Structures are given as C-alpha cells and as structure tokens.
Amino acid sequence: MGCLFCEIVEGVRDAHVVLDVPEAVAFLDTRPLFKGHTLLVPRVHYETLTDLPVEEVGPFFGYAQRLAGAMEEVLGAAGSFVAMNNRVSQSVPHLHVHVVPRNWKDGLRGFFWPRQKYDSGTEAAEYAARLAAAFG
C-alpha cells in the first residue's frame, strides 16, 4: 500500500495544490476544519518530525510560516492554527503540518473540532488558487 501524500507529491493523485516547490508541497485538506485548511508536506517521505533532517527543519517551517501569513493576508482570517501529530492521531504516516485559518468565535474549542466541506471541487480550487497566489 502506497503513501497517499507521496501520491499527491508525485502527481499520481489529484489535490488542490497551494504550493509546489523542490522541498515541499502544500495542498488543501479534503476534510477541512475551515475552508482554506492546508497540509504542508516535505516532498521526500519522512514519517515524523524527528525523521526530518535537522538542516531541512528551518526551510520546511519557513513555508508553514508563509502559509500562516497567507491565511490572514489572502483569506482575511484573524489568525491561524498550525499543528502536527507524530504517530498518535497522524492519519497519514507522512510528516504533515496543518495550517488552518482561524477567526474569533469560529467554533474551534479544545480538540473537538468541527469539520466543514467545500460546496464543490470548484470552490476548493478557488481557495487553493487564492492561497497559491500568495507565493507569487
């Protein structure tokens, strides 16, 4: 059984891509907490943060930082939630960072998270294009 995120990185599986650079790929989560919820993955398959070579940590999180800024700048969010799991609660065993747009009183409390759906593939593509525009 292959890795779902590796298939997205390789272009074998469709995704709404936000960022595609030599080191990393970012794409919309298919089960977003809020519209614009993006997953950032290293292009090379590493299962957890501890597997990521130390020299790659800074550049990788630089993209997470830029995505967090795009949530506010492009989507008009009041802030963002940036998180990752390592093994426990890690739905896909490929290192990934969740970058989620946040607004006051958006309903996200503790770890009981509401999930939203895009109205259509077109709406998801529009969100991906708006976020991708923040990277020029």
Side-chain angles (χ1 to χ4, degrees), residues 57-76:
V57 172
F60 181 72
F61 276 95
Y63 293 114
Q65 181 183 43
R66 290 179 61 193
L67 280 167
M71 298 295 158
E72 295 180 38
E73 184 180 317
V74 178
L75 299 183

Side-chain angles (χ1 to χ4, degrees), residues 86-128:
N86 284 298
R87 290 190 187 88
V88 176
S89 294
Q90 188 179 10
S91 58
V92 176
H94 184 126
L95 172 65
H96 58 285
V97 176
H98 296 261
V99 185
V100 182
R102 292 293 313 275
N103 288 294
W104 300 107
K105 299 183 181 185
D106 60 15
L108 188 62
R109 297 191 182 280
F111 290 96
F112 298 102
W113 299 341
R115 294 286 183 162
Q116 295 186 359
K117 292 184 178 182
Y118 293 98
D119 294 333
S120 65
T122 301
E123 183 186 35
E126 289 169 357
Y127 269 81

Side-chain angles (χ1 to χ4, degrees), residues 3 5-6 9 24-25 27 39-53 56-57 60-61 83-87 90 92-98:
C3 171
F5 291 168
C6 285
V9 167
V25 175
F27 47 91
L39 301 177
L40 172 67
V41 304
R43 186 171 289 282
V44 174
H45 182 94
Y46 298 111
E47 186 173 332
T48 67
L49 181 60
T50 57
D51 299 323
L52 185 66
E56 295 180 29
V57 172
F60 181 72
F61 276 95
M84 78 167 46
N85 292 301
N86 284 298
R87 290 190 187 88
Q90 188 179 10
V92 176
H94 184 126
L95 172 65
H96 58 285
V97 176
H98 296 261

